[in-house]
Amino acid sequence: MARSALLNVMVQAAFKAGKSLARDFGEVQNLQVSLKGPGDYVSQADRKAEKLVREELMKARPTYGFLGEESEEVIGTDGAHRWIVDPLDGTTNFLHGIPHFAISIALERQGEVVAGVILNPATDELYTAERGGGAFLNDRRLRVAARKNLSDAVIGTGTPHLGVGNHGTYLVELRHVMGEVAGVRRMGAASLDLAYVAAGRFDGFWERGLMPWDLAAGILLIREAGGWVADIDGGNKPMDDGSIVAGNEYIRRALHDVLHRPVPGK
């Protein structure tokens, strides 16, 4: 696959941070961990990875803006471009020695994501996409799964945890979905969940309470793999809304309908 110069910069930044995370993952029990919020941990590895990614990206394009999970947003003098970065998506997995975490990097141009990279350093799986150029896992082109019926589908989701999200709403949604599908999976890293939809591993995905760095690269991957993405209410701005429903055309629509099914007795 041919990559643009900017995508190569993003891939290089992801691999540089990925090497650092892989080393720290091997020493996960020795990491000094600070509490950022209830059930939400941030480690030295997390901050170090963002610093490495930021340095690589800003060295290549110093006038671009930068939005990262672990630092304050930088407004670029360029005005049209912004990097959107999650240096360690799946922090809880990482800290518990579970090899399912990722670095997610997206490039936004005039409000639209035009390039995305998601790397799992534990498996060396690299997902890349550029607008109009398709989505890839390493060098293999991706397509979303072709299943049309929820009864055949495996659906990914994100589960609200201690101190985060509306647990009651989620349990109602889960009850409705689990009665219609072949399986529901909660893996713990939203960017990889979206990459799995693009790769056809998940037929669909839904979650609330997400941030732009959770979504940006994965949304582009799914769209470039032929999939459909919307917020839970059916709008076209999941990054603004912080919620997402994704899949192929049929599964996304069916999943949306199930999520909006009336609650009996109400």
Side-chain angles (χ1 to χ4, degrees), residues 9-242:
V9 167
M10 296 164 69
V11 169
Q12 182 178 338
F15 274 118
K16 188 168 185 178
K19 288 180 181 178
S20 175
L21 285 179
R23 286 193 300 269
D24 286 333
F25 186 65
E27 301 292 334
V28 68
Q29 297 302 323
N30 298 323
L31 289 176
Q32 295 181 22
V33 180
S34 60
L35 190 63
K36 189 169 65 171
D40 187 8
Y41 301 100
V42 60
S43 68
Q44 289 182 355
D46 204 334
R47 291 188 290 268
K48 183 165 59 176
E50 179 164 312
K51 182 174 183 291
L52 289 169
V53 170
R54 183 170 174 168
E55 287 175 351
E56 283 296 309
L57 297 179
M58 300 307 282
K59 180 171 62 176
R61 295 293 189 275
T63 63
Y64 286 11
F66 186 94
L67 176 65
E69 182 178 11
E70 301 304 334
S71 59
E72 292 187 8
E73 182 175 2
V74 174
I75 306 301
T77 58
D78 169 274
H81 295 86
R82 179 172 68 161
W83 303 112
I84 304 175
V85 174
D86 191 340
L88 177 50
D89 185 22
T91 306
T92 301
N93 283 349
F94 182 88
L95 293 175
H96 285 78
I98 300 170
H100 190 80
F101 56 90
I103 300 158
S104 178
I105 304 171
L107 174 62
E108 188 180 66
R109 177 177 296 136
Q110 294 179 333
E112 296 292 329
V113 177
V114 296
V117 170
I118 297 171
L119 171 68
N120 182 347
T123 62
D124 285 330
E125 288 191 331
L126 174 70
Y127 299 86
T128 56
E130 292 186 90
R131 190 168 64 181
F136 296 83
L137 168 53
N138 296 332
D139 292 323
R140 178 172 64 84
R141 190 167 188 131
L142 298 180
R143 293 294 297 177
V144 294
R147 297 178 186 87
K148 296 183 179 181
N149 300 313
L150 280 180
S151 58
D152 300 321
V154 171
I155 303 297
T157 186
T159 307
H161 51 84
L162 176 66
V164 176
N166 188 322
H167 294 205
T169 296
Y170 177 77
L171 289 172
V172 171
E173 292 175 347
L174 179 61
R175 182 176 68 184
H176 287 163
V177 172
M178 65 192 289
E180 300 288 340
V181 303
V184 177
R185 302 288 183 267
R186 199 285 192 192
M187 306 291 282
S191 63
L192 282 177
D193 290 332
L194 298 178
Y196 276 25
V197 174
R201 295 173 176 177
F202 288 163
D203 297 284
F205 179 81
W206 97 95
E207 188 172 358
R208 297 180 185 268
L210 295 168
M211 301 300 291
W213 47 77
D214 299 315
L215 293 167
I219 286 173
L220 183 65
L221 277 165
I222 291 171
R223 287 175 171 162
E224 288 298 321
W228 293 64
V229 174
D231 60 57
I232 285 182
D233 290 328
N236 196 37
K237 297 287 187 179
M239 283 174 57
D240 294 338
D241 184 75

